[in-house]
Amino acid sequence: MPLLSGLFYSFFKSLVGKDVVVELKNDLSICGTLHSVDQYLNIKLTDISVTDPEKYPHMLSVKNCFIRGSVVRYVQLPADEVDTQLLQDAARKEALQQKQ
Amino acid sequence: MFRFQSLDEDCTLEKEEGLVEEEDEIDQFNDDTFGDGAIDDDWQEEHKRLAELEERKNEGLGGLGLGGLGMGGMGGGDASTVQLPPPASRVPHPSSLPPPHHSLSSMPPPGLEDRGGGDLAESLAMLILGADPAIASVGGPTGPGDRSTGLPPPPSMPQQHQLPPHQQLTPSGLPPGPLHPSLLSYQQHQHLLRRGGPPMQQMNSHNIWENNMGFGPVSVTPGLVTQMEDSPLMSIIKEVGLPNRPPPVMSEDGRDLSERAPPPRSSSPVIGSPPVRAVPIGTPPKQPMSHAMNHHQQNSPLCRPPFPAGVGPVLSQIQRAQMLNSQVAGFPRGCQGPPLLPGGGGFRPFFGQPPPHRMGPHHNHVPCPIIRHNTTHLHPQHRRMLTQRMQSRGGERGGRVGDWRSRDPYSNLMTQREKEWVAKIQMMQLQSTDPYLDDYYYQNYFEKMEKRQERDRDGVRKEHTTKLITPQVAKLEHTYRPVQFAGSLGKLTVSSVNNPRKMIDTVVTSRTDDEEKREKQVWNKRRQILYTVEKMYSLLLEVQDFEKRFMQTPEEQREALLEQHKTHTLQLYASLREKEWDDRVSDEQCLLIMSVRKGKRLISRLIPFLPPLQAAAVVMGIARNLPALAKKDKQDQALCWLVEPVAVVISSLSSAALTDLLQELQGSEGQLSKVLQNKFGVTLLYLILSEGERMQSSDLNCQLMDDNRWTELVFSVTRELLNVPPSSLSPPLFTPPNLLSLFSRYVDRQRLELLQEKLQISSLSR
């Protein structure tokens, strides 16, 4: 059930509207504003730009994109938008739930 | 499987008994599709041909034709899982089934007059018009309550349509559900629902079978065509133009692809997962085609056969769309995909759909869409933040708003209902009985933010926070029990999406605490500490959530909850305290726990929840062991987390306790100097002194001065402060303002000034 991985979904939901950089497994890095996320951690970004030197010219005209969750390698986040203590607590709760 | 009749040579569907062997047909279709017989026609020609056929048929049959346009979706090798039992057994009318020929139009079946299997049609119509029962319970964009809009019951589903075949289906093990999408071509639906009346009577289940997977690209029932003025096909024909042949019906000018019905889709029965529904979960909704709706809101893909691309459709949807919209309008923000964030009950599609209209001659503008967020399900705090952000960014884009109205070639590929349906399927998975637990991080994050904001802006009234709206439907547990035959080893499992194959049959064996302890002793000591800390953390989290849960539980259970809460708290403290003494914290335990950064954090969060006596004991313990703690903290520098909770405790201490605390702090020889070397230590010291001073100055009956202990202690502190070299005096986290007045009671002026300088207490900070 996707909700069991709800920790990340919950976490990313709180980052909607913030600027993130998504690095994909094909080494493409995309910087944009997180528009939405779903329970599969698919990501929609708006106002994107390719962060690395534009060796991906085919992305020049793209403003918004949808990224399938399974191809994401990293998501770089703004540090001050993350409450690490809360994240730890959420992880603990999730672990407890899993055990039950 | 199907029996159909080849339609190669001529289009006579009058053959009554022409049930052909299925295999031949399949081969034939394969051939036609991929091999020699593959048709490579220009779609325009096909249009032409079709139109001619229509005319012929018009004369021949009159009245309603059914979309005998079944274009061999089944036969064409398409891996459709739609299975129809042999018609012969079910359908009373033995008339021939016009074979769906994938490449060309077919004649509407002659068996139009037949009435057999009529009830099936009726129930199908119900399914067509109603919501997908699988998702009916899920709140969606329009909500279950909105089902009523635009869904009139089929105007005249003829009563004489019986349903014997329908019932016969079930025993054969195949759910009747999957049939319905394919049983009526969309043309039939449209006609059914729009026209009603006499034509309905001629519908025939026989023909339903014929039309299995839909209809050909250019096959339009002549009857339909003539009677439906606003047929989507007609609009295409009109726009594209039929050379040498004026279109029989003039459709509205400016009609574009705003009317497309989804092609009948195949849907697999949900095997092996109870309950088997009449309409399997994978079935998309059908078009509710009320008269009022179909002009504007129906977006039906035009004549798109749902089988391999080798068979030439007239035009792919996109091609058609692009043809009609002469320009590409940038990012297909018109697509109303299901929202990616289906968190709540009342959502709407994300990207707003501008009403489609003809695009003017704007070639060079790249429309800059204002992306609208669906915010109904978000936490109000989050929503506020987002709207603020949007406003600040929207200002820049204001000038280019006009462009968003330009035509988007990808619009209208899905109907509103379809989008809602897909979204609801996603939402199904998010049904949660306890959003607070399942969505812990998100909820708390924004609550914290709100509290922070409230603190910053005192007195500004914020709107009352509402809970996150996730559908509160209880999750129904579908457990699948595999079939087991007596006397056999193992179980027969039919795996499907809903119950994947079980690889390992395991049984959970729980171990007792004793065993665990023994095992742990083998482990690294640090791991043990961490383990203890984690256990305490789970208790702590329970305690933290107590208040929330308390609000939610009904009266009767509150007692029990309260008891539970107390137990938890006691347990927490119990892990800290000395074996026998209740009011003293075990040094050893304390040290152990605080040697880990996590442990320090734990303690700092724990203290506020303890009753005052126990909290004081903990603080004492900390003070007592401060040098050791300080040493262990060199790497982490995490002691400072303790300042806040400790400060709270200190301010609630009695004077005797305060004195005790100060004494503990100074404890052994040389302790104070060590204390002064540590930031936390200095801060703690200042806190104590400041509290003492506050007591003295505010409360005249203060007992602080009753015995000399306090005075003496302060003396020794000041002595130490004066003597200690400045380098080993660590700056505190903050300096309480009333220190100066404290010192002024005990030391002479000269020393006072020295102190002032050393500690950098300005005389202004009173």
Side-chain angles (χ1 to χ4, degrees):
Chain A
M1 272 197 32
L3 210 49
L4 280 187
S5 64
L7 173 62
F8 287 106
Y9 174 48
S10 186
F11 175 63
F12 278 119
K13 262 201 300 186
S14 76
L15 292 177
V16 165
K18 310 289 190 310
D19 288 332
V20 297
V21 179
V22 179
E23 179 174 328
L24 308 181
K25 288 177 181 168
N26 66 356
D27 291 338
L28 175 60
S29 279
I30 306 177
C31 167
T33 313
L34 183 64
H35 178 272
S36 58
V37 66
D38 68 3
Q39 73 261 42
Y40 304 108
L41 304 185
N42 297 327
I43 292 175
K44 260 195 187 175
L45 296 177
T46 58
D47 262 349
I48 62 170
S49 61
V50 179
T51 50
D52 310 340
E54 310 264 2
K55 55 178 183 166
Y56 303 100
H58 60 282
M59 300 285 290
L60 278 176
S61 64
V62 180
K63 287 283 168 263
N64 311 309
C65 70
F66 169 94
I67 303 174
R68 184 185 157 94
S70 63
V71 306
V72 173
R73 184 188 286 144
Y74 302 123
V75 177
Q76 298 168 25
L77 323 160
D80 40 357
E81 300 288 351
V82 176
D83 185 341
T84 42
Q85 175 178 314
L86 195 52
L87 203 51
Q88 285 179 1
D89 287 345
R92 287 189 179 108
K93 284 201 132 89
E94 181 113 351
L96 273 178
Q97 263 187 306
Q98 292 261 11
K99 246 195 261 180
Q100 284 161 8
Chain B
M1 280 295 277
F2 257 111
R3 318 285 174 98
F4 2 18
Q5 192 177 2
S6 164
L7 193 55
D8 272 328
E9 312 74 344
D10 71 277
C11 304
T12 56
L13 303 174
E14 269 75 34
K15 274 205 217 141
E16 294 283 303
E17 312 285 341
L19 300 173
V20 182
E21 277 318 306
E22 166 198 310
E23 261 109 28
D24 293 356
E25 281 305 310
I26 290 180
D27 285 343
Q28 156 107 49
F29 288 150
N30 258 333
D31 227 15
D32 286 335
T33 310
F34 302 110
D36 305 331
I39 306 284
D40 230 349
D41 279 358
D42 182 20
W43 62 267
Q44 284 192 334
E45 315 248 332
E46 304 205 342
H47 261 296
K48 234 192 305 179
R49 252 176 281 164
L50 165 71
E52 282 162 9
L53 279 172
E54 287 165 16
E55 286 233 321
R56 246 189 289 150
K57 267 163 233 155
N58 239 345
E59 306 150 14
L61 291 181
L64 161 70
L66 284 179
L69 325 169
M71 296 298 281
M74 292 295 292
D78 186 22
S80 159
T81 56
V82 175
Q83 312 252 334
L84 295 180
S89 66
R90 301 168 292 104
V91 180
H93 196 287
S95 73
S96 71
L97 307 161
H101 195 284
H102 59 269
S103 60
L104 266 194
S105 60
S106 53
M107 308 274 285
L112 288 175
E113 301 76 35
D114 191 73
R115 304 267 141 89
D119 207 9
L120 173 62
E122 183 175 339
S123 60
L124 289 177
M126 296 301 284
L127 284 172
I128 288 167
L129 297 176
D132 185 339
I135 53 173
S137 60
V138 177
T142 51
D146 293 346
R147 289 272 152 262
S148 53
T149 59
L151 294 183
S156 60
M157 284 313 288
Q159 295 308 314
Q160 64 261 44
H161 285 207
Q162 303 309 312
L163 199 54
H166 189 71
Q167 261 106 47
Q168 289 177 31
L169 284 178
T170 346
S172 72
L174 291 168
L179 303 173
H180 86 274
S182 52
L183 295 181
L184 302 168
S185 76
Y186 86 102
Q187 298 279 358
Q188 290 176 13
H189 311 148
Q190 289 188 14
H191 198 88
L192 271 180
L193 303 162
R194 287 197 219 175
R195 300 292 153 163
M200 304 291 260
Q201 322 239 329
Q202 297 177 30
M203 229 180 58
N204 179 17
S205 66
H206 205 66
N207 301 316
I208 291 168
W209 306 139
E210 297 155 2
N211 300 323
N212 45 358
M213 282 305 292
F215 40 85
V218 289
S219 47
V220 175
T221 311
L224 274 177
V225 169
T226 50
Q227 291 179 35
M228 300 194 309
E229 296 181 345
D230 42 1
S231 122
L233 181 57
M234 286 321 300
S235 62
I236 274 286
I237 293 177
K238 188 218 164 251
E239 274 152 7
V240 169
L242 283 176
N244 310 332
R245 192 178 180 286
V249 174
M250 295 299 290
S251 59
E252 289 177 27
D253 215 277
R255 174 60 48 84
D256 61 327
L257 299 173
S258 55
E259 290 188 13
R260 309 180 207 160
R265 296 174 213 254
S266 70
S267 49
S268 50
V270 182
I271 302 175
S273 325
V276 176
R277 306 169 186 277
V279 181
I281 295 176
T283 312
K286 282 314 192 169
Q287 287 311 308
M289 303 267 220
S290 76
H291 225 270
M293 282 176 63
N294 56 20
H295 289 287
H296 304 290
Q297 298 173 18
Q298 290 308 318
N299 310 312
S300 31
L302 191 55
C303 296
R304 188 167 72 116
F307 45 79
V311 182
V314 178
L315 266 182
S316 82
Q317 268 182 310
I318 304 286
Q319 283 174 335
R320 215 177 299 122
Q322 283 175 346
M323 183 185 63
L324 293 175
N325 314 328
S326 39
Q327 291 107 23
V328 175
F331 172 72
R333 75 182 136 46
C335 310
Q336 284 178 313
L340 269 192
L341 202 56
F347 59 76
R348 274 158 276 288
F350 254 173
F351 295 103
Q353 169 69 44
H357 62 266
R358 284 277 175 210
M359 206 152 96
H362 302 298
H363 289 263
N364 36 9
H365 294 295
V366 176
C368 176
I370 291 188
I371 291 152
R372 289 184 246 149
H373 290 244
N374 171 32
T375 56
T376 49
H377 56 278
L378 293 183
H379 201 273
Q381 182 61 26
H382 199 177
R383 199 189 311 158
R384 249 175 271 130
M385 279 174 46
L386 277 179
T387 46
Q388 284 169 8
R389 203 172 290 238
M390 297 284 289
Q391 280 163 13
S392 59
R393 287 201 192 161
E396 310 158 12
R397 303 193 192 176
R400 295 191 271 167
V401 175
D403 281 330
W404 68 273
R405 299 190 135 264
S406 29
R407 171 62 67 75
D408 175 14
Y410 296 108
S411 60
N412 296 335
L413 290 179
M414 282 173 81
T415 67
Q416 186 60 31
R417 266 182 65 102
E418 284 188 314
K419 292 167 199 159
E420 292 168 18
W421 168 75
V422 176
K424 261 188 278 172
I425 287 192
Q426 282 194 321
M427 289 265 288
M428 256 167 62
Q429 295 172 329
L430 287 181
Q431 285 170 7
S432 138
T433 41
D434 186 3
Y436 181 71
L437 208 62
D438 290 329
D439 208 8
Y440 183 78
Y441 184 87
Y442 182 80
Q443 298 267 34
N444 281 17
Y445 185 81
F446 283 102
E447 274 175 32
K448 276 196 178 183
M449 185 171 307
E450 269 186 5
K451 282 188 202 141
R452 237 181 291 148
Q453 286 192 348
E454 273 174 28
R455 239 188 305 141
D456 296 342
R457 310 181 222 178
D458 259 346
V460 176
R461 280 304 189 91
K462 289 286 177 182
E463 74 187 49
H464 189 61
T465 60
T466 48
K467 289 207 158 286
L468 183 75
I469 314 164
T470 32
Q472 291 287 338
V473 185
K475 300 184 266 199
L476 304 170
E477 293 291 334
H478 299 296
T479 47
Y480 167 67
R481 258 180 222 93
V483 172
Q484 193 164 15
F485 295 105
S488 71
L489 279 178
K491 307 166 189 171
L492 184 71
T493 307
V494 179
S495 50
S496 75
V497 153
N498 292 339
N499 67 305
R501 188 160 53 111
K502 197 173 185 184
M503 300 287 292
I504 304 176
D505 210 340
T506 56
V507 178
V508 175
T509 52
S510 58
R511 308 173 120 172
T512 63
D513 258 347
D514 291 328
E515 282 181 17
E516 276 191 340
K517 268 196 184 141
R518 257 178 269 134
E519 283 180 16
K520 298 283 191 306
Q521 274 165 6
V522 181
W523 286 12
N524 195 326
K525 197 141 198 248
R526 186 183 165 87
R527 275 198 218 163
Q528 191 162 5
I529 299 172
L530 287 174
Y531 184 75
T532 317
V533 170
E534 278 301 323
K535 269 199 158 164
M536 289 179 71
Y537 249 119
S538 31
L539 278 176
L540 176 64
L541 287 178
E542 293 272 318
V543 170
Q544 246 179 359
D545 290 340
F546 163 74
E547 201 180 303
K548 262 230 162 66
R549 284 196 297 160
F550 193 78
M551 291 298 129
Q552 288 176 358
T553 58
E555 276 299 326
E556 320 79 56
Q557 295 168 12
R558 281 191 177 176
E559 266 305 316
L561 199 62
L562 201 57
E563 283 307 311
Q564 201 186 28
H565 175 64
K566 285 196 191 132
T567 328
H568 284 316
T569 333
L570 277 175
Q571 261 180 304
L572 273 174
Y573 182 68
S575 47
L576 282 177
R577 65 181 165 92
E578 285 277 2
K579 298 300 168 196
E580 303 301 316
W581 303 352
D582 207 19
D583 56 353
R584 194 182 149 102
V585 161
S586 149
D587 287 350
E588 187 190 321
Q589 193 73 332
C590 195
L591 271 175
L592 273 180
I593 291 180
M594 306 264 275
S595 60
V596 183
R597 189 207 278 149
K598 246 204 267 187
K600 283 177 253 211
R601 204 67 197 269
L602 172 70
I603 300 286
S604 72
R605 289 175 71 175
L606 171 58
I607 288 177
F609 288 102
L610 291 175
L613 217 64
Q614 295 173 348
V618 173
V619 176
M620 296 275 195
I622 295 174
R624 198 165 44 235
N625 299 300
L626 200 52
L629 289 176
K631 202 163 64 161
K632 292 201 174 176
D633 192 46
K634 276 216 187 92
Q635 212 181 16
D636 295 330
Q637 297 299 321
L639 270 180
C640 298
W641 284 332
L642 289 165
V643 169
E644 220 181 280
V646 165
V648 173
V649 173
I650 286 180
S651 54
S652 59
L653 286 178
S654 67
S655 54
L658 194 66
T659 322
D660 287 336
L661 187 58
L662 190 52
Q663 188 157 22
E664 294 276 16
L665 199 59
Q666 298 186 44
S668 51
E669 226 10 82
Q671 180 166 339
L672 195 56
S673 56
K674 289 209 201 99
V675 166
L676 290 175
Q677 285 175 3
N678 179 263
K679 194 180 204 122
F680 174 69
V682 177
T683 320
L684 183 59
L685 181 64
Y686 283 7
L687 282 171
I688 298 173
L689 293 176
S690 158
E691 176 62 20
E693 173 59 21
R694 192 193 63 80
M695 270 191 208
Q696 268 188 300
S697 47
S698 59
D699 184 8
L700 292 172
N701 300 340
C702 171
Q703 294 155 332
L704 209 54
M705 309 300 280
D706 276 359
D707 58 10
N708 275 336
R709 278 200 311 156
W710 176 258
T711 323
E712 280 187 19
L713 288 169
V714 178
F715 272 145
S716 67
V717 166
T718 48
R719 236 178 296 132
E720 190 65 34
L721 279 171
L722 286 167
N723 293 340
V724 76
S727 53
S728 53
L729 181 63
S730 161
L733 277 170
F734 61 88
T735 312
N738 54 359
L739 274 186
L740 205 58
S741 63
L742 172 81
F743 290 130
S744 62
R745 291 178 201 261
Y746 297 98
V747 292
D748 56 23
R749 188 166 185 78
Q750 190 191 21
R751 291 218 187 91
L752 187 62
E753 281 173 14
L754 273 174
L755 269 177
Q756 207 173 328
E757 212 182 293
K758 201 167 199 180
L759 305 178
Q760 296 165 359
I761 319 167
S762 71
S763 54
L764 293 172
S765 60
R766 283 194 145 256

